[in-house]
């Protein structure tokens, strides 16, 4: 008798799509107000989930969506790191 394991779903703050937690990246704000990327999804603090897609990340930066959800200032280096992670995830290299 096969049991179906429930897959945790989370909503992308940019697209509004519900996706499995493993398909999204979590950005977290600690109690001290420090914003960081949380690849494990286990850091304490207020979190926001984002689809690991270049267009999605750029839209979040343009509209300041992460800063709004986390109620904290999001440094440009966070967006740069997210874009690098998105490139690794898709495996596309623009420099070829």
């Amino acid at each position: 008798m096969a049991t179906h394991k429930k897959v945790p779903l989370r909503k992308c703050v940019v697209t509004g799509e519900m996706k499995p937690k493993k398909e999204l990246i979590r950005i977290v704000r600690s109690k001290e107000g420090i914003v960081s990327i949380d690849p494990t999804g286990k850091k304490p603090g207020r979190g926001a989930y984002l689809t690991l897609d270049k267009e999605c990340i750029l839209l979040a930066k343009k509209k300041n969506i992460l800063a709004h959800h986390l109620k904290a200032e999001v440094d440009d280096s966070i967006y740069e790191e997210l874009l690098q992670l998105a490139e690794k995830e898709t495996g596309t290299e623009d420099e070829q």
Side-chain angles (χ1 to χ4, degrees):
M1 197 166 167
T3 58
H4 294 285
K5 190 172 182 184
K6 189 176 176 188
V7 177
L9 295 176
R10 297 292 181 266
K11 184 186 270 191
C12 173
V13 295
V14 177
T15 63
E17 291 179 88
M18 292 294 284
K19 293 186 175 185
K21 189 177 172 182
K22 290 185 178 190
E23 290 181 21
L24 301 169
I25 188 84
R26 184 173 185 249
I27 294 81
V28 66
R29 183 204 71 210
S30 67
K31 285 183 181 179
E32 295 79 32
I34 299 164
V35 177
S36 61
I37 296 171
D38 180 14
T40 62
K42 294 182 174 153
K43 283 186 183 177
R46 182 175 181 85
Y49 288 87
L50 191 66
T51 303
L52 208 51
D53 174 61
K54 189 176 179 181
E55 285 78 30
C56 191
I57 295 164
L58 292 173
L59 185 62
K61 183 177 181 180
K62 181 181 172 190
K63 293 189 173 185
N64 220 12
I65 294 171
L66 285 177
H68 174 74
H69 274 270
L70 297 173
K71 296 178 175 68
E73 192 67 35
V74 179
D75 195 55
D76 283 347
S77 64
I78 296 288
Y79 292 108
E80 294 301 318
E81 200 175 328
L82 284 168
L83 287 168
Q84 288 174 2
L85 284 170
E87 279 183 28
K88 285 180 190 172
E89 192 75 20
T90 57
T92 57
E93 298 287 326
D94 293 333
E95 299 156 11
Q96 289 181 344

